[in-house]
C-alpha cells in the first residue's frame, strides 16, 4: 500500500539548507530515500526549498531563521503561521497517512491537539534537540495515543522527562548523504589543521578547542555561524546591537580573544564542497562538548569524510564514535591534548567504512519507514479498541554504545 506522509520541516530554513542547518539537512537526506521506498512525501517548508518531493506546502517565501533571534512576542507568530498552514492541509485532505514533524515544541503541541480528531492522521514527532529544554512542557506531556515521538540518540532519550519518554518509540541515528559510497571514495590528503564545525555556541565548546590549539600548538579552523551572523563581515556590520544574542556574547567573551587569525581562525559558515574539503582534509574534527549533544550531524559527516572525531564523551558521541577505531573520546578535558596528538593512529578508512554501514540516508529511512508503520498500526489498533503497544517501543534497541573511554598511551 502506498503511504502518503506529510513531512513538516518547519519555517526556519530551506531544505536543503544553504550551509548551516542540522534539522533541514536531516530532512534533505531522509526524503529522497523515503520516496525510493515508495512513500509519497508532502513537504511542509518554505518556498525557497529545492528538494524534489511529490508535493509541497509552503508557508513563507524564505527561511525565517533570523526571526528566531527576536523576543518571543515577535518570533512566535512564525512557527504558528507555519503550523496553521499544516493544519489547513490536514483539514482539507484525507489522503495523509501520517505526519512526520520536526518543529520544536510547537509542532508537538499543535499536532497532538489536531490528532484528537479521530479522522486526523497520527503523528511521529522527531526530537532533534536537548531534552533538558522545555521541561515545563515535556514533564506534563499527555499527547494521547495517536502521537509518538522518537529521539536521535539513545542518550538523548535516557535524559528525557518520564512523561515524554512514555510517548517514545525509540531513536534513529542521524545520517548523511556523504556516507553513501564513502568506503569507496579516494582518500583526501590531510593538511595540518583540525576543525570544529558547527554553530559557535557554548555547548559546542569552541573556546576549549581554541585554548587547546594554543596550548598544544596545532592549527584550528572554526566554521559556523555566530547567532544569525553567517560571516565575520555580517557580525561586524551588526555592530553593538548584536550583543543581545547569547551566542554573540559567548563569541565576544570566550572565543574571539583566542582567535588570532593564524593558529586559530574563524571562517564563518562554509557550505557544500568547501565544507566537505575543509573537513576531509582536517587531521581531526574536535567535539569538546559542553552539553549533551543530542544527535550530532557534524559527527556522522566527519566520519563519512574520513576524518576522526576527537572529543568529550558526552551526549550521543559514544554512540556514534567508536573509541580507538573512528576517534578518541574521554571524560576529561585534560586528556584532549594527548588525544589530538594520537589521531594519526585512527585509520580514516575505518571512519568511512563505519559511516557507509551505519549512517547512510537509506539506513535512516528504513528505520523511519518502520516507525511510520508502527505508529500507523498502533493507532489503528486503538481505533479497533486496542491501544498503542508500549512493549514494542521498550524493545527497540537503545544503541551500540562504545564501552572504552581510555586515553591511548
Ligand atoms: N554546517 C555547515 N557549515 C558550517 C557549520 C555547520 O554546513 O559552517 C552544518 C554541519 O555540517 C551540520 C549542521 O550544519 O550538517 C549542524 O548540525 P549538528 O547536528 O552538528 O549541530 P546543531 O544542529 O546542534 O547545530
Amino acid at each position: 500500500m502506498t503511504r502518503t506522509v506529510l513531512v513538516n520541516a518547519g519555517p526556519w530554513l530551506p531544505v536543503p539548507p544553504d550551509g548551516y542547518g542540522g534539522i533541514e539537512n536531516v530532512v534533505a537526506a531522509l526524503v529522497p530515500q523515503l520516496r525510493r521506498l515508495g512513500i509519497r512525501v508532502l513537504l511542509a517548508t518554505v518556498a525557497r526549498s529545492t528538494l524534489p518531493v511529490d508535493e509541497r506546502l509552503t508557508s513563507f517565501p524564505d527561511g525565517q531563521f533570523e526571526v528566531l533571534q527576536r523576543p518571543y512576542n515577535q518570533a512566535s507568530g512564525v512557527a504558528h503561521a507555519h503550523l496553521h498552514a499544516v493544519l489547513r492541509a490536514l483539514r482539507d485532505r484525507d489522503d495523509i497517512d501520517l505526519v512526520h514533524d520536526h518543529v520544536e515544541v510547537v509542532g508537538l503541541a499543535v499536532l497532538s491537539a489536531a490528532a484528537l480528531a479521530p479522522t486526523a492522521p497520527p503523528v511521529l514527532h522527531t526530537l532533534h534537540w536537548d531534552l533538558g529544554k522545555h521541561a515545563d512542557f515535556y514533564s506534563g506531556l499527555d499527547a494521547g495515543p495517536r502521537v509518538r515521538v522518537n529521539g536521535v540518540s539513545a542518550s538523548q532519550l535516557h535524559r528525557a522527562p518520564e512523561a515524554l519518554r512514555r510517548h517514545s518509540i525509540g531513536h534513529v541515528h542521524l545520517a548523511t548523504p556523504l556516507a553513501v559510497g564513502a568506503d569507496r571514495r579516494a582518500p583526501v590528503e590531510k593538511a595540518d589543521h583540525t576543525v570544529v564545525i558547527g554553530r559557535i555556541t557554548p555547548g559546542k565548546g569552541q573556546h576549549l578547542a581554541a585554548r587547546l590549539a594554543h596550548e598544544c600548538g596545532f592549527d584550528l579552523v572554526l566554521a559556523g555561524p555566530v547567532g544569525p551572523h553567517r560571516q565575520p563581515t555580517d557580525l561586524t556590520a551588526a555592530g553593538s546591537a548584536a550583543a543581545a544574542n547569547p551566542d554573540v556574547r559567548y563569541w565576544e567573551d570566550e572565543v574571539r580573544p583566542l582567535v588570532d587569525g593564524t593558529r586559530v581562525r574563524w571562517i564563518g559558515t562554509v557550505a557544500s564542497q568547501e565544507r566537505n574539503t575543509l573537513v576531509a582534509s582536517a587531521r581531526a574534527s574536535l567535539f569538546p562538548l559542553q552539553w549533551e549533544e543530542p544527535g550530532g550531524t557534524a559527527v556522522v559527516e566527519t566520519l563519512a569524510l574520513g576524518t576522526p572525531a576527537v572529543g568529550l564523551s558526552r551526549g550521543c558521541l559514544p554512540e556514534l564514535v567508536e573509541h580507538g577505531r573512528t576517534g578518541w573520546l574521554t571524560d576529561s578535558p585534560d586528556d584532549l591534548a594527548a588525544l589530538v596528538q594520537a589521531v594519526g593512529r585512527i585509520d580514516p578508512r575505518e571512519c568511512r567504512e563505519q559511516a557507509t554501514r551505519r549512517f547512510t540516508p537509506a539506513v535512516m529511512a528504513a528505520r523511519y519507514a518502520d516507525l511510520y508503520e508502527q505508529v500507523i498500526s498502533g493507532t489503528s489498533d486503538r481505533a479497533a479498541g486496542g491501544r498503542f503497544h508500549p512493549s514494542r517501543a521498550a524493545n527497540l534497541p537503545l544503541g551500540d554504545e562504545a564501552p572504552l573511554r581510555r586515553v591511548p598511551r
Side-chain angles (χ1 to χ4, degrees), residues 12 72 83 153 205 313 381:
W12 306 120
Y72 178 77
L83 260 298
S153 68
S313 188
D381 284 355

Side-chain angles (χ1 to χ4, degrees), residues 17-23 25-26 128 174 196-199 201 204 223-225 268-272 275 279 287 291 293-299 301:
D18 173 18
Y20 172 76
I23 294 173
N25 271 329
V26 176
H128 288 273
L174 298 175
V196 179
I197 184 130
R199 285 174 293 140
T201 190
K204 307 276 181 187
T269 303
V270 287
S272 39
R275 178 198 65 182
V279 175
F287 297 93
W291 74 323
E293 179 85 41
T297 314
V299 182
E301 288 167 351

Side-chain angles (χ1 to χ4, degrees), residues 44-57:
T45 181
V46 294
R48 200 158 73 81
S49 292
T50 52
L51 187 74
V53 289
D54 296 289
E55 271 185 86
R56 278 189 348 160
L57 161 66

Side-chain angles (χ1 to χ4, degrees), residues 86-353:
V86 171
L87 285 184
R88 274 201 304 273
L90 296 181
R91 186 191 59 199
D92 293 347
R93 29 197 306 178
D94 61 3
D95 62 330
I96 297 166
D97 295 296
L98 178 120
V99 180
H100 184 185
D101 178 59
H102 299 265
V103 178
E104 188 161 351
V105 176
V106 64
L108 182 55
V110 168
L111 293 168
S112 54
L116 292 173
T119 50
V123 176
L124 177 66
H125 171 84
T126 297
L127 301 156
H128 288 273
W129 34 87
D130 170 20
L131 302 181
K133 286 161 84 184
H134 318 306
D136 294 337
F137 176 53
Y138 289 148
S139 58
L141 186 70
D142 181 3
R146 314 182 67 240
V147 177
R148 295 294 129 194
V149 303
N150 76 278
V152 289
S153 68
S155 74
Q156 177 204 30
L157 287 175
H158 277 312
R159 292 188 309 278
E162 178 54 33
L164 179 61
R165 220 164 342 139
R166 273 201 298 273
H167 293 75
S168 163
I169 50 171
H171 70 274
V172 185
H173 284 148
L174 298 175
T176 170
L178 295 169
V180 179
D183 55 343
R184 297 191 304 272
R185 217 175 288 141
V188 171
E189 201 179 321
K190 294 292 181 189
D192 266 346
H193 64 276
T194 59
V195 67
V196 179
I197 184 130
R199 285 174 293 140
I200 298 197
T201 190
K204 307 276 181 187
Q206 279 94 352
H207 66 291
L208 198 55
R211 222 178 284 154
L212 266 184
H214 285 293
E215 281 165 17
C216 309
F218 60 80
D219 292 344
L220 173 70
V221 179
L222 305 174
V226 175
H229 311 289
R230 292 164 56 93
Q231 302 303 337
T233 45
D234 304 339
L235 185 56
T236 312
S240 56
N245 181 288
D247 288 345
V248 173
R249 283 202 299 278
Y250 168 66
W251 159 257
E252 293 292 347
D253 296 345
E254 300 197 48
V255 187
R256 195 161 87 144
L258 301 166
V259 174
D260 61 359
T262 48
R263 183 59 88 198
V264 180
R265 292 186 295 140
W266 175 44
I267 59 168
T269 303
V270 287
S272 39
Q273 196 49 44
E274 190 191 356
R275 178 198 65 182
N276 298 348
T277 306
L278 173 75
V279 175
S281 61
R283 289 169 54 226
S285 280
L286 307 187
F287 297 93
L289 301 178
Q290 303 295 294
W291 74 323
E292 308 304 331
E293 179 85 41
T297 314
V299 182
V300 298
E301 288 167 351
T302 196
L303 299 182
L305 290 165
T307 297
V310 174
L312 292 176
S313 188
R314 299 184 66 161
C316 64
L317 233 62
E319 292 170 51
L320 305 181
V321 178
E322 192 180 347
H323 179 76
R325 290 185 73 83
T326 60
W328 298 117
L329 301 180
T330 173
D331 293 325
S332 164
D334 295 340
D335 294 338
L336 282 173
L339 296 182
V340 173
Q341 260 143 31
V343 85
R345 286 163 52 194
I346 303 293
D347 184 351
R349 272 175 312 187
E350 179 69 27
C351 301
R352 290 192 271 117
E353 271 162 25

